[in-house]
Amino acid sequence: MDCWNAGLELKSCTDEIVKFFLSQTGTSEPPVKGGIDKDCCGAIGLVVKDCWSVMFTSLGLTTMEGNNLREYCEFQAEKSELSPSPAPETLALSPVEITYPGLDY
């Protein structure tokens, strides 16, 4: 368990976390693009799983806000695992003129 490093990572994610919550309540214009990055989600997951969830309070977050962060990061992880593979390249076809023998136009 590397809880101290996770705590330091959480501290470095403070801006992302604040912007995330502001965008969720509609008070931030424009909303956060990309949400919380993988490194911050990793720290959040580690804190929730192996450390003290009370570490969130050191950032001024409530238990419910910590749970929201955890759920967001879990959803993002699942989404990236389930994301479809890139679309295959499209094949460009040239138009073909079709003629019918015996039919005059």
Side-chain angles (χ1 to χ4, degrees):
M1 284 189 279
D2 203 0
C3 295
W4 294 116
N5 285 336
L8 292 173
E9 181 69 31
L10 275 179
K11 289 278 189 195
S12 70
C13 297
T14 303
D15 286 345
E16 284 182 55
I17 291 170
V18 168
K19 288 176 184 175
F20 170 78
F21 282 113
L22 289 177
S23 71
Q24 300 303 307
T25 60
T27 58
S28 176
E29 293 294 332
V32 178
K33 291 189 189 261
I36 298 171
D37 72 20
K38 254 184 172 175
D39 291 336
C40 290
C41 277
I44 290 165
L46 182 64
V47 166
V48 169
K49 182 180 174 201
D50 295 329
C51 304
W52 316 279
S53 293
V54 74
M55 288 175 76
F56 289 123
T57 60
S58 70
L59 295 175
L61 300 173
T62 65
T63 302
M64 187 166 66
E65 289 167 332
N67 289 338
N68 288 343
L69 288 172
R70 177 187 51 80
E71 289 171 5
Y72 171 82
C73 289
E74 286 174 355
F75 175 76
Q76 292 303 317
E78 288 173 17
K79 191 169 89 171
S80 67
E81 289 173 9
L82 299 176
S83 64
S85 57
E89 291 183 31
T90 55
L91 180 62
L93 299 175
S94 302
V96 176
E97 186 176 322
I98 300 175
T99 58
Y100 297 99
L103 293 176
D104 294 327
Y105 294 100

